PDB file of all heavy atoms in Angstrom:
ATOM      1  N   MET O 164      -4.676   8.050   2.807  1.00  0.00           N
ATOM      2  CA  MET O 164      -4.268   8.105   4.202  1.00  0.00           C
ATOM      3  C   MET O 164      -2.780   7.781   4.271  1.00  0.00           C
ATOM      4  O   MET O 164      -2.350   6.716   3.805  1.00  0.00           O
ATOM      5  CB  MET O 164      -5.066   7.097   5.030  1.00  0.00           C
ATOM      6  CG  MET O 164      -6.583   7.289   4.942  1.00  0.00           C
ATOM      7  SD  MET O 164      -7.142   8.876   5.592  1.00  0.00           S
ATOM      8  CE  MET O 164      -6.811   8.622   7.341  1.00  0.00           C
ATOM      9  N   LEU O 165      -1.988   8.681   4.831  1.00  0.00           N
ATOM     10  CA  LEU O 165      -0.548   8.496   4.891  1.00  0.00           C
ATOM     11  C   LEU O 165      -0.118   7.895   6.224  1.00  0.00           C
ATOM     12  O   LEU O 165      -0.711   8.170   7.264  1.00  0.00           O
ATOM     13  CB  LEU O 165       0.166   9.838   4.688  1.00  0.00           C
ATOM     14  CG  LEU O 165      -0.012  10.496   3.323  1.00  0.00           C
ATOM     15  CD1 LEU O 165       0.747  11.820   3.286  1.00  0.00           C
ATOM     16  CD2 LEU O 165       0.453   9.582   2.192  1.00  0.00           C
ATOM     17  N   ARG O 166       0.924   7.082   6.151  1.00  0.00           N
ATOM     18  CA  ARG O 166       1.519   6.485   7.340  1.00  0.00           C
ATOM     19  C   ARG O 166       2.671   7.356   7.840  1.00  0.00           C
ATOM     20  O   ARG O 166       3.117   8.271   7.145  1.00  0.00           O
ATOM     21  CB  ARG O 166       2.035   5.076   7.004  1.00  0.00           C
ATOM     22  CG  ARG O 166       0.923   4.109   6.638  1.00  0.00           C
ATOM     23  CD  ARG O 166       1.466   2.773   6.166  1.00  0.00           C
ATOM     24  NE  ARG O 166       0.368   1.847   5.924  1.00  0.00           N
ATOM     25  CZ  ARG O 166      -0.115   0.999   6.812  1.00  0.00           C
ATOM     26  NH1 ARG O 166       0.437   0.934   8.014  1.00  0.00           N
ATOM     27  NH2 ARG O 166      -1.114   0.205   6.512  1.00  0.00           N
ATOM     28  N   ALA O 167       3.173   7.038   9.016  1.00  0.00           N
ATOM     29  CA  ALA O 167       4.310   7.767   9.575  1.00  0.00           C
ATOM     30  C   ALA O 167       5.559   7.505   8.741  1.00  0.00           C
ATOM     31  O   ALA O 167       5.692   6.462   8.085  1.00  0.00           O
ATOM     32  CB  ALA O 167       4.544   7.345  11.026  1.00  0.00           C
ATOM     33  N   MET O 168       6.480   8.458   8.765  1.00  0.00           N
ATOM     34  CA  MET O 168       7.769   8.291   8.110  1.00  0.00           C
ATOM     35  C   MET O 168       8.659   7.342   8.928  1.00  0.00           C
ATOM     36  O   MET O 168       8.411   7.126  10.118  1.00  0.00           O
ATOM     37  CB  MET O 168       8.457   9.653   7.977  1.00  0.00           C
ATOM     38  CG  MET O 168       7.923  10.488   6.847  1.00  0.00           C
ATOM     39  SD  MET O 168       8.350   9.761   5.249  1.00  0.00           S
ATOM     40  CE  MET O 168       7.445  10.873   4.168  1.00  0.00           C
ATOM     41  N   PRO O 169       9.693   6.782   8.307  1.00  0.00           N
ATOM     42  CA  PRO O 169      10.576   5.866   9.038  1.00  0.00           C
ATOM     43  C   PRO O 169      11.205   6.532  10.255  1.00  0.00           C
ATOM     44  O   PRO O 169      11.655   7.683  10.193  1.00  0.00           O
ATOM     45  CB  PRO O 169      11.644   5.500   8.010  1.00  0.00           C
ATOM     46  CG  PRO O 169      11.016   5.762   6.687  1.00  0.00           C
ATOM     47  CD  PRO O 169      10.070   6.893   6.888  1.00  0.00           C
ATOM     48  N   ALA O 170      11.235   5.812  11.358  1.00  0.00           N
ATOM     49  CA  ALA O 170      11.900   6.312  12.566  1.00  0.00           C
ATOM     50  C   ALA O 170      13.387   5.980  12.526  1.00  0.00           C
ATOM     51  O   ALA O 170      14.211   6.684  13.097  1.00  0.00           O
ATOM     52  CB  ALA O 170      11.256   5.709  13.807  1.00  0.00           C
ATOM     53  N   ALA O 171      13.745   4.879  11.842  1.00  0.00           N
ATOM     54  CA  ALA O 171      15.142   4.458  11.717  1.00  0.00           C
ATOM     55  C   ALA O 171      15.604   4.654  10.275  1.00  0.00           C
ATOM     56  O   ALA O 171      14.792   4.657   9.343  1.00  0.00           O
ATOM     57  CB  ALA O 171      15.289   2.997  12.119  1.00  0.00           C
ATOM     58  N   VAL O 172      16.890   4.834  10.097  1.00  0.00           N
ATOM     59  CA  VAL O 172      17.441   5.038   8.758  1.00  0.00           C
ATOM     60  C   VAL O 172      17.319   3.746   7.957  1.00  0.00           C
ATOM     61  O   VAL O 172      17.772   2.684   8.417  1.00  0.00           O
ATOM     62  CB  VAL O 172      18.916   5.471   8.827  1.00  0.00           C
ATOM     63  CG1 VAL O 172      19.480   5.669   7.424  1.00  0.00           C
ATOM     64  CG2 VAL O 172      19.050   6.749   9.638  1.00  0.00           C
ATOM     65  N   PRO O 173      16.723   3.777   6.767  1.00  0.00           N
ATOM     66  CA  PRO O 173      16.606   2.554   5.950  1.00  0.00           C
ATOM     67  C   PRO O 173      17.973   2.037   5.517  1.00  0.00           C
ATOM     68  O   PRO O 173      18.944   2.800   5.426  1.00  0.00           O
ATOM     69  CB  PRO O 173      15.773   3.018   4.740  1.00  0.00           C
ATOM     70  CG  PRO O 173      15.088   4.273   5.188  1.00  0.00           C
ATOM     71  CD  PRO O 173      16.026   4.920   6.152  1.00  0.00           C
ATOM     72  N   ARG O 174      18.025   0.752   5.221  1.00  0.00           N
ATOM     73  CA  ARG O 174      19.281   0.119   4.812  1.00  0.00           C
ATOM     74  C   ARG O 174      19.276  -0.313   3.354  1.00  0.00           C
ATOM     75  O   ARG O 174      20.269  -0.843   2.855  1.00  0.00           O
ATOM     76  CB  ARG O 174      19.565  -1.096   5.697  1.00  0.00           C
ATOM     77  CG  ARG O 174      19.917  -0.719   7.128  1.00  0.00           C
ATOM     78  CD  ARG O 174      20.186  -1.955   7.953  1.00  0.00           C
ATOM     79  NE  ARG O 174      20.547  -1.607   9.327  1.00  0.00           N
ATOM     80  CZ  ARG O 174      20.623  -2.479  10.320  1.00  0.00           C
ATOM     81  NH1 ARG O 174      20.351  -3.752  10.097  1.00  0.00           N
ATOM     82  NH2 ARG O 174      20.960  -2.075  11.528  1.00  0.00           N
ATOM     83  N   VAL O 175      18.163  -0.098   2.652  1.00  0.00           N
ATOM     84  CA  VAL O 175      18.080  -0.464   1.242  1.00  0.00           C
ATOM     85  C   VAL O 175      17.025   0.415   0.590  1.00  0.00           C
ATOM     86  O   VAL O 175      16.057   0.829   1.235  1.00  0.00           O
ATOM     87  CB  VAL O 175      17.714  -1.959   1.072  1.00  0.00           C
ATOM     88  CG1 VAL O 175      16.312  -2.255   1.598  1.00  0.00           C
ATOM     89  CG2 VAL O 175      17.854  -2.399  -0.380  1.00  0.00           C
ATOM     90  N   LEU O 176      17.226   0.720  -0.691  1.00  0.00           N
ATOM     91  CA  LEU O 176      16.230   1.443  -1.471  1.00  0.00           C
ATOM     92  C   LEU O 176      15.752   0.535  -2.594  1.00  0.00           C
ATOM     93  O   LEU O 176      16.558   0.044  -3.389  1.00  0.00           O
ATOM     94  CB  LEU O 176      16.810   2.726  -2.055  1.00  0.00           C
ATOM     95  CG  LEU O 176      15.883   3.523  -2.994  1.00  0.00           C
ATOM     96  CD1 LEU O 176      14.602   3.945  -2.284  1.00  0.00           C
ATOM     97  CD2 LEU O 176      16.617   4.743  -3.561  1.00  0.00           C
ATOM     98  N   LEU O 177      14.445   0.302  -2.633  1.00  0.00           N
ATOM     99  CA  LEU O 177      13.824  -0.559  -3.629  1.00  0.00           C
ATOM    100  C   LEU O 177      12.934   0.311  -4.514  1.00  0.00           C
ATOM    101  O   LEU O 177      12.206   1.166  -4.002  1.00  0.00           O
ATOM    102  CB  LEU O 177      12.984  -1.636  -2.954  1.00  0.00           C
ATOM    103  CG  LEU O 177      13.660  -2.375  -1.804  1.00  0.00           C
ATOM    104  CD1 LEU O 177      12.630  -2.935  -0.853  1.00  0.00           C
ATOM    105  CD2 LEU O 177      14.580  -3.458  -2.329  1.00  0.00           C
ATOM    106  N   ILE O 178      12.979   0.099  -5.822  1.00  0.00           N
ATOM    107  CA  ILE O 178      12.192   0.936  -6.735  1.00  0.00           C
ATOM    108  C   ILE O 178      11.468   0.038  -7.737  1.00  0.00           C
ATOM    109  O   ILE O 178      12.069  -0.859  -8.333  1.00  0.00           O
ATOM    110  CB  ILE O 178      13.075   1.939  -7.498  1.00  0.00           C
ATOM    111  CG1 ILE O 178      13.857   2.822  -6.519  1.00  0.00           C
ATOM    112  CG2 ILE O 178      12.225   2.808  -8.422  1.00  0.00           C
ATOM    113  CD1 ILE O 178      14.842   3.757  -7.184  1.00  0.00           C
ATOM    114  N   GLY O 179      10.176   0.297  -7.917  1.00  0.00           N
ATOM    115  CA  GLY O 179       9.391  -0.391  -8.934  1.00  0.00           C
ATOM    116  C   GLY O 179       8.806   0.627  -9.900  1.00  0.00           C
ATOM    117  O   GLY O 179       8.330   1.684  -9.475  1.00  0.00           O
ATOM    118  N   ALA O 180       8.844   0.320 -11.198  1.00  0.00           N
ATOM    119  CA  ALA O 180       8.360   1.273 -12.199  1.00  0.00           C
ATOM    120  C   ALA O 180       7.925   0.535 -13.452  1.00  0.00           C
ATOM    121  O   ALA O 180       8.357  -0.583 -13.724  1.00  0.00           O
ATOM    122  CB  ALA O 180       9.446   2.289 -12.549  1.00  0.00           C
ATOM    123  N   SER O 181       7.075   1.204 -14.225  1.00  0.00           N
ATOM    124  CA  SER O 181       6.637   0.651 -15.505  1.00  0.00           C
ATOM    125  C   SER O 181       6.554   1.789 -16.521  1.00  0.00           C
ATOM    126  O   SER O 181       7.549   2.478 -16.750  1.00  0.00           O
ATOM    127  CB  SER O 181       5.297  -0.076 -15.334  1.00  0.00           C
ATOM    128  OG  SER O 181       4.905  -0.699 -16.541  1.00  0.00           O
ATOM    129  N   THR O 182       5.393   2.039 -17.093  1.00  0.00           N
ATOM    130  CA  THR O 182       5.244   3.057 -18.123  1.00  0.00           C
ATOM    131  C   THR O 182       5.658   4.425 -17.606  1.00  0.00           C
ATOM    132  O   THR O 182       5.149   4.896 -16.600  1.00  0.00           O
ATOM    133  CB  THR O 182       3.778   3.115 -18.597  1.00  0.00           C
ATOM    134  OG1 THR O 182       3.368   1.811 -18.972  1.00  0.00           O
ATOM    135  CG2 THR O 182       3.625   4.068 -19.760  1.00  0.00           C
ATOM    136  N   GLY O 183       6.577   5.062 -18.306  1.00  0.00           N
ATOM    137  CA  GLY O 183       7.122   6.337 -17.855  1.00  0.00           C
ATOM    138  C   GLY O 183       8.280   6.192 -16.899  1.00  0.00           C
ATOM    139  O   GLY O 183       8.907   7.185 -16.515  1.00  0.00           O
ATOM    140  N   GLY O 184       8.588   4.963 -16.519  1.00  0.00           N
ATOM    141  CA  GLY O 184       9.638   4.713 -15.538  1.00  0.00           C
ATOM    142  C   GLY O 184      11.033   5.140 -15.946  1.00  0.00           C
ATOM    143  O   GLY O 184      11.759   5.713 -15.125  1.00  0.00           O
TER     144      GLY O 184
END
Side-chain angles (χ1 to χ4, degrees):
M164 303 297 291
L165 295 180
R166 295 174 176 268
M168 282 292 174
V172 179
R174 290 180 179 169
V175 65
L176 175 59
L177 312 155
I178 303 175
S181 184
T182 307

